[in-house]
Amino acid sequence: MAEPLPWCHLDGAILPLRDARISPLDRGFLFADAVYEVVPVYGGRPFRFAEHLARLERSLGEIGIVNPLDAEGWRGMAGTLIGRNGGGDQYLYLQVSRGAEYGRNHAPPAGLRPTVFAFCATLPARDPDSLARGLRCVTAPDIRWARCDIKTVALLANVMLRGMAERAGAHETILLRDGMLTESSSSAVHVVIDGVLVAPPETPAILPGTTRAVVEELADAAGITRATRPISERELRGAEEIWLSAAVRGLAAVTELDGRPVGSGRPGPLWQRLHADFAALIERLAATPW
């Protein structure tokens, strides 16, 4: 990931990121009692900002934190921070913890003031050669907790799974639970089976993906047949194409899985089509007000 940009937001103030401090008793630090969002920004314009805010609101509601800002408050803060960091292409990280108390109690006391933190980083450029080669992935059992539909900062299992990929010389780990595909350590997974674009149903084992939704909208607009249904390990391994989608990654083709080629071993024709449509959508939206 790219180096962070110099300015951040912390509890209503814009300040240098290197000067930002929170209490060591903050529940996000002690318990991972916090949720977050990552929003890509193109040409200074947050992409699908309303959808990211809706998911943040849902995550907060699921763990019982009252949203500390309304939609206009989030919008104003995001616009100010993006502008202070120079606009252009970047990504915006938003995090809300339950706040700090004087002590450490598993059951959260009432009346805590949430901690609101945000920072930006340069959006990594998509290397044409890397896009043409695709990604190498490995598979592993899904060892994450039972509520992956909440975008919580409790990402230790994801960190371990991504580390597994790094040690194997791969880019990402694709996860299987009880013989069925869930997602990867940091992305949604799409699979092409018999010419049909298939994704697993959104359950508590899967994070509702904002970028996944964009891919599905583009597939519908392009007339590509798609389905939402469980995907077995056998189907995953025999797929014609496998894709990953995520806010910062965008849409990427997987060309190797556990050392074996996916399809032809090159990004497939449906990915080529949807990737071009995705890039065109970003280019159109980057020039419009948000």
Side-chain angles (χ1 to χ4, degrees), residues 153-265:
V153 302
L155 295 174
L156 179 57
N158 304 69
V159 169
M160 294 169 64
L161 290 161
R162 175 60 74 84
M164 180 187 302
E166 295 275 340
R167 291 189 297 276
H171 298 94
E172 180 61 289
T173 302
I174 292 177
L175 308 178
L176 297 158
R177 184 173 295 188
D178 299 324
M180 307 302 290
L181 171 67
T182 53
E183 49 193 345
S184 79
S185 70
S186 61
S187 306
V189 181
H190 311 256
V191 179
V192 178
I193 302 169
D194 296 329
V196 177
L197 180 61
V198 187
E202 292 183 347
T203 68
I206 290 178
L207 179 73
T210 56
T211 308
R212 166 179 163 162
V214 175
V215 171
E216 291 174 345
E217 290 170 19
L218 291 172
D220 291 344
I224 295 171
T225 304
R226 67 176 183 87
T228 301
R229 63 167 179 80
I231 300 167
S232 69
E233 179 177 356
R234 180 184 59 81
E235 289 179 307
L236 173 70
R237 296 191 184 281
E240 297 149 30
E241 301 184 34
I242 302 173
W243 311 344
L244 303 181
S245 65
V248 175
R249 173 174 276 147
L251 183 62
V254 177
T255 52
E256 181 183 299
L257 185 66
D258 289 333
R260 295 175 177 269
V262 175
S264 67

